[in-house]
């Protein structure tokens, strides 16, 4: 079927829905057909359909079947508005959204607290503000190892006011949402479905200082007196509201977002008045500990890092014992980000883990197997089980951050790493989290001779590492920074598995990087070439080291 014929057929099908849009959208079978038609329709058909559906939009959006149709048409409308739609289409969509905002606004509490309406309302806020629709989904707490260790600033997605397509409609809808909070109070903020709507509302307003301040004050139940730091004061009832939200499963998510997007003065007030008096209580709480992590992750200046660290460091052991190590990870990340208190946080963590001396291998092992060590109650007799026991995700993440600190701050940890047994080094490299710890150590400012010492403990196991996708990256790093003798040791072991390597996804890359074929043909020539290459790189580094301060800085981190 030609495109023109298909579009004509779709247009005809949508025309047949005239006057029956709500009925068909709420029918379980027909709604699926409507979704498909909408996804294939052109801008004119979508604008016309939304306009006809708009008087019934609240009913459709709170229906199990109809809500899917509502979200489908909103998604298509968003794509049209972000593109180059004609003036006629934009005018039709604006008229439709005026009616949609009116009917939804008249039933705002019901829409927010409805399991289906909540999703549609979030999508509607995103369309009106040009906020990405995919970010309306409730984000899970925590995240993978890479996201926890990443030092990039993970601030909320901000909506630039110039990008807002229908600002008057957006403010109308947000006004209705905040009025409902004023009317009902914290109970609405703690609702499982209304909470995510309020989170999106805060994210949409994040770039507008006056409006986000007003929204935060409404959600906290306080009057907006903001004029400067210290002017917006929280009374007893406000503090009780914050405590209720923080200790609630759903309300705590809202407080997390509030801390992330709040202006600096609101953040400072919440920190000092609402959180500092209950910091340890919240840090140990099943829900509130995530709020404390958000509090640390949203820090704005160095003195806030110092304040939180000084209050939490005496309780490091208790936090780890109660499985709240995420707070320690957040503190490490904040210290790294603001380049302050790095020595203090590292020594406090080592002290909490009962380090048995400067070069004790137990410090690093207790972090690598953190949950296992905590389960033993901190027994001095504890030793890790290397046979299949996975290493701690949080422990590995903390070590990655620690090895990115200045060398003198992380000294206790890298000395401990150098003193663990070869079989423990091997188990670490083979673990999905542990291999990142080793890579972080090899990329640190620790002197090269110490790194070569660690690589040397892996002799006899390079084939085993090359056969694993995860540890092959660590092996490549070992080859990159290892001495000529260690490079030759790696390649000499891999020569025997050239054929098998070629069959692996990562094998050809390793074979090419290490020039395994060249070594198998003429080991002496391969060694001489490596020595020449190392010499050339060192000479290049020396030149820049002598003539360019920037070059000196760059070379200092290159291991050459």
């Amino acid at each position: 079927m030609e495109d023109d014929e298909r579009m004509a057929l779709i247009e005809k099908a949508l025309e047949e829905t005239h006057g029956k849009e709500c009925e068909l959208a709420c029918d379980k079978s027909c709604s699926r057909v409507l979704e498909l038609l909408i996804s294939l329709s052109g801008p004119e058909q979508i604008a016309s359909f939304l306009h006809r559906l708009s008087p019934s939009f609240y009913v459709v959006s709170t229906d199990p079947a109809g809500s899917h149709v509502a979200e489908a048409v909103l998604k298509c409308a968003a794509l049209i508005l972000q593109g180059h739609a004609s003036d006629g289409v934009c005018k039709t969509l604006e008229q439709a959204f005026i009616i949609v905002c009116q009917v939804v606004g008249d039933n705002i509490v019901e829409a927010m607290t409805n399991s289906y309406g909540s999703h549609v309302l979030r999508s509607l806020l995103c369309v009106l503000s040009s906020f990405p629709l995919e970010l309306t989904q409730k984000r899970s707490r925590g995240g993978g190892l890479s996201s926890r260790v990443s030092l990039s600033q993970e601030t909320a997605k901000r909506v630039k006011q110039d990008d807002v397509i229908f600002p008057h409609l957006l403010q109308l809808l947000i006004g209705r949402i905040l009025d409902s909070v004023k009317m009902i109070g914290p109970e609405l903020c703690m609702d499982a479905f209304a909470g995510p709507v309020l989170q999106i509302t805060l994210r949409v307003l994040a770039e507008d200082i006056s409006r986000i301040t007003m929204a935060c004050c409404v959600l906290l139940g306080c009057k907006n007196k903001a004029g400067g730091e210290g002017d917006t004061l929280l009374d007893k009832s406000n503090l009780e509201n914050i405590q209720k939200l923080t200790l609630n499963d759903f309300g705590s998510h809202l407080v997390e977002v509030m801390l992330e997007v709040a202006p600096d003065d609101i953040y400072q007030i919440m920190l000092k008045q609402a959180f500092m008096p209950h910091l340890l209580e919240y840090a140990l709480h099943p829900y509130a500990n995530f709020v404390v992590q958000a509090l640390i992750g949203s820090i704005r200046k160095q003195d806030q890092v110092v304040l939180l660290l000084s209050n939490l460091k005496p309780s490091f052991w208790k936090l780890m014992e109660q499985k709240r190590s995420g707070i320690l990870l957040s503190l490490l990340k904040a210290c790294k980000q603001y380049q302050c208190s790095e020595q203090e946080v590292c020594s406090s963590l080592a002290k909490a883990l009962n380090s048995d001396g400067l070069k004790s291998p137990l410090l690093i092992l207790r972090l690598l197997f953190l949950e296992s060590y905590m389960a033993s109650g901190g027994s001095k007799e504890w030793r890790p089980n290397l046979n299949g026991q996975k290493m701690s995700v949080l422990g590995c993440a903390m070590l990655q951050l620690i090895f990115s600190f200045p060398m003198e701050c992380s000294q206790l940890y890298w000395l401990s790493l150098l003193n663990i047994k070869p079989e423990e080094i091997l188990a670490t490299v083979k673990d999905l989290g542990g291999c990142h710890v080793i890579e972080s150590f090899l990329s640190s400012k620790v002197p090269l001779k110490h790194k070569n010492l660690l690589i040397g403990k892996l002799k006899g196991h390079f084939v085993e590492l090359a056969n694993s996708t995860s540890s092959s990256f660590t092996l490549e790093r070992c080859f990159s920074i290892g001495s000529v003798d260690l490079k030759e040791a790696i390649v000499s072991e891999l020569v025997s598995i050239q054929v098998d390597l070629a069959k692996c996804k990562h094998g050809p890359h390793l074979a090419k990087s290490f020039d395994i074929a060249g070594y198998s043909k003429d080991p002496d020539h391969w060694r001489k070439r490596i020595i020449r290459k190392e010499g050339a790189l060192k000479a290049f580094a020396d030149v820049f080291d002598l003539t360019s301060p920037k070059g000196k800085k760059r070379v200092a981190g290159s291991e050459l």
Side-chain angles (χ1 to χ4, degrees):
M1 183 182 293
E2 297 293 333
D3 288 344
D4 292 342
E5 294 177 349
R6 185 177 65 176
M7 291 305 296
L9 179 62
I10 292 170
E11 185 175 1
K12 184 66 176 175
L14 285 177
E15 284 178 3
E16 290 294 323
T17 67
H18 201 289
K20 297 178 285 186
E21 292 84 4
C22 180
E23 180 185 350
L24 293 172
C26 294
D27 182 272
K28 187 175 181 180
S29 300
C30 295
S31 65
R32 293 175 180 173
V33 178
L34 266 180
E35 280 186 74
L36 179 61
L37 288 173
I38 290 167
S39 67
L40 297 173
S41 297
E44 292 78 10
Q45 289 79 34
I46 290 169
S48 176
F49 180 79
L50 179 59
H51 191 270
R52 300 199 307 272
L53 184 68
S54 55
S56 308
F57 197 83
Y58 164 70
V59 175
V60 172
S61 65
T62 53
D63 182 82
S67 60
H68 292 283
V69 176
E71 292 217 58
V73 74
L74 286 175
K75 182 178 180 180
C76 291
L79 293 173
I80 293 169
L81 292 169
Q82 291 167 10
H84 301 285
S86 65
D87 292 341
V89 169
C90 288
K91 186 66 177 175
T92 303
L93 285 174
E94 183 176 8
Q95 292 171 350
F97 280 122
I98 289 173
I99 301 171
V100 166
C101 290
Q102 186 63 50
V103 298
V104 173
D106 289 343
N107 302 274
I108 193 66
V109 175
E110 291 79 4
M112 290 173 67
T113 55
N114 181 274
S115 59
Y116 305 104
S118 172
H119 285 277
V120 177
L121 185 50
R122 281 178 266 166
S123 295
L124 178 59
L125 284 167
C126 290
V127 174
L128 295 176
S129 63
S130 301
F131 196 77
L133 278 170
E134 62 271 14
L135 296 180
T136 63
Q137 300 301 316
K138 186 177 177 182
R139 297 186 299 175
S140 62
R141 286 165 162 169
L145 188 61
S146 59
S147 65
R148 286 171 175 263
V149 181
S150 172
L151 296 178
S152 60
Q153 192 69 12
E154 297 172 1
T155 53
K157 175 72 177 178
R158 302 297 172 105
V159 175
K160 295 180 180 179
Q161 296 306 301
D162 293 341
D163 293 339
V164 177
I165 300 172
F166 302 123
H168 57 297
L169 296 178
L170 179 64
Q171 293 311 316
L172 169 66
L173 190 58
I174 288 178
R176 293 291 186 92
I177 291 171
L178 295 179
D179 285 344
S180 70
V181 176
K182 290 179 184 177
M183 179 176 64
I184 298 176
E187 290 73 20
L188 190 62
C189 299
M190 292 185 284
D191 184 84
F193 304 112
V197 174
L198 295 172
Q199 292 173 41
I200 290 295
T201 302
L202 289 174
R203 294 192 185 282
V204 165
L205 294 174
E207 195 71 12
D208 190 325
I209 298 297
S210 62
R211 287 196 171 98
I212 191 63
T213 300
M214 179 267 295
C216 288
C217 289
V218 168
L219 294 175
L220 295 175
C222 60
K223 294 180 180 180
N224 184 6
K225 305 175 185 176
E229 186 173 318
D231 291 341
T232 304
L233 300 177
L234 301 172
D235 60 25
K236 184 178 179 180
S237 64
N238 303 147
L239 294 172
E240 288 175 354
N241 286 343
I242 296 174
Q243 187 171 43
K244 286 180 183 177
L245 291 173
T246 302
L247 297 175
N248 179 265
D249 186 6
F250 304 109
S252 59
H253 286 280
L254 181 60
V255 181
E256 288 175 46
V257 176
M258 198 183 307
L259 289 167
E260 186 179 351
V261 303
D264 292 351
D265 57 341
I266 296 289
Y267 175 88
Q268 179 72 4
I269 290 165
M270 291 179 69
L271 170 65
K272 288 199 170 181
Q273 295 187 31
F275 289 102
M276 291 310 300
H278 308 281
L279 190 61
L280 183 58
E281 175 194 350
Y282 290 164
L284 295 171
H285 191 271
Y287 306 134
N289 82 90
F290 291 104
V291 178
V292 175
Q293 291 184 51
L295 180 74
I296 298 168
S298 302
I299 282 173
R300 315 299 165 87
K301 48 189 179 180
Q302 283 189 356
D303 64 333
Q304 293 167 348
V305 180
V306 174
L307 176 66
L308 287 167
L309 176 59
S310 63
N311 279 268
L312 287 171
K313 69 179 183 180
S315 304
F316 274 9
W317 170 261
K318 195 168 187 178
L319 290 169
M320 290 186 287
E321 187 180 37
Q322 297 296 316
K323 299 182 180 180
R324 303 290 179 256
S325 301
I327 290 174
L328 276 63
L329 179 60
S330 298
L331 278 172
L332 285 165
K333 190 173 180 179
C335 291
K336 174 65 179 178
Q337 182 181 337
Y338 288 94
Q339 297 182 348
C340 66
S341 305
E342 293 163 308
Q343 180 72 61
E344 183 181 359
V345 72
C346 286
S347 59
S348 297
L349 178 58
K351 183 179 179 181
L353 288 166
N354 300 318
S355 178
D356 300 321
L358 186 63
K359 296 184 180 181
S360 170
L362 290 176
L363 173 60
I364 204 85
L365 292 174
R366 286 169 180 173
L367 264 178
L368 288 172
F369 295 91
L370 184 60
E371 286 78 15
S372 171
Y373 177 58
M374 289 296 113
S376 75
S379 170
K380 292 185 178 181
E381 305 301 320
W382 173 88
R383 291 297 182 274
N385 176 13
L386 302 179
N387 297 322
Q389 185 177 18
K390 288 186 177 180
M391 293 184 175
S392 166
V393 171
L394 285 171
C396 290
M398 284 191 272
L399 283 169
Q400 281 184 250
L401 278 170
I402 288 169
F403 286 136
S404 69
F405 286 2
M407 184 180 67
E408 58 275 13
C409 298
S410 62
Q411 185 178 23
L412 280 173
Y413 299 86
W414 59 261
L415 285 176
S416 177
L417 178 63
L418 292 175
N419 280 277
I420 67 176
K421 299 174 183 177
E423 58 268 25
E424 293 167 339
I425 293 284
L426 179 62
T428 305
V429 178
K430 290 168 65 177
D431 185 84
L432 288 175
C435 64
H436 292 294
V437 173
I438 299 299
E439 289 170 28
S440 180
F441 168 74
L442 295 175
S443 301
S444 68
K445 303 294 184 181
V446 175
L448 196 55
K449 64 179 181 179
H450 296 304
K451 297 176 184 178
N452 284 331
L453 178 62
L454 182 137
I455 296 170
K457 292 186 177 184
L458 293 170
K459 283 183 178 180
H461 300 283
F462 295 130
V463 169
E464 193 176 348
L465 301 182
N467 284 324
S468 168
T469 303
S470 58
S471 57
S472 67
F473 292 103
T474 311
L475 179 62
E476 189 173 1
R477 185 62 183 156
C478 290
F479 184 87
S480 174
I481 69 165
S483 64
V484 175
D485 289 340
L486 285 172
K487 284 181 170 65
E488 186 170 12
I490 293 172
V491 176
S492 64
E493 288 188 32
L494 300 187
V495 166
S496 62
I497 60 162
Q498 282 187 84
V499 176
D500 293 331
L501 271 181
K503 298 175 184 177
C504 299
K505 184 178 179 180
H506 57 277
H509 173 70
L510 288 182
K512 183 178 179 181
S513 298
F514 300 171
D515 189 19
I516 297 175
Y519 181 85
S520 62
K521 290 178 182 178
D522 191 342
D524 290 337
H525 178 73
W526 180 93
R527 182 180 177 85
K528 289 176 182 177
R529 186 176 61 80
I530 292 294
I531 292 173
R532 284 198 303 270
K533 183 179 179 181
E534 295 278 307
L537 288 172
K538 187 176 184 306
F540 180 81
D542 289 341
V543 169
F544 276 86
D545 196 29
L546 291 170
T547 60
S548 169
K550 289 184 179 180
K552 183 175 182 177
K553 184 177 179 180
R554 190 182 302 116
V555 169
S558 69
E559 312 295 349
L560 296 172

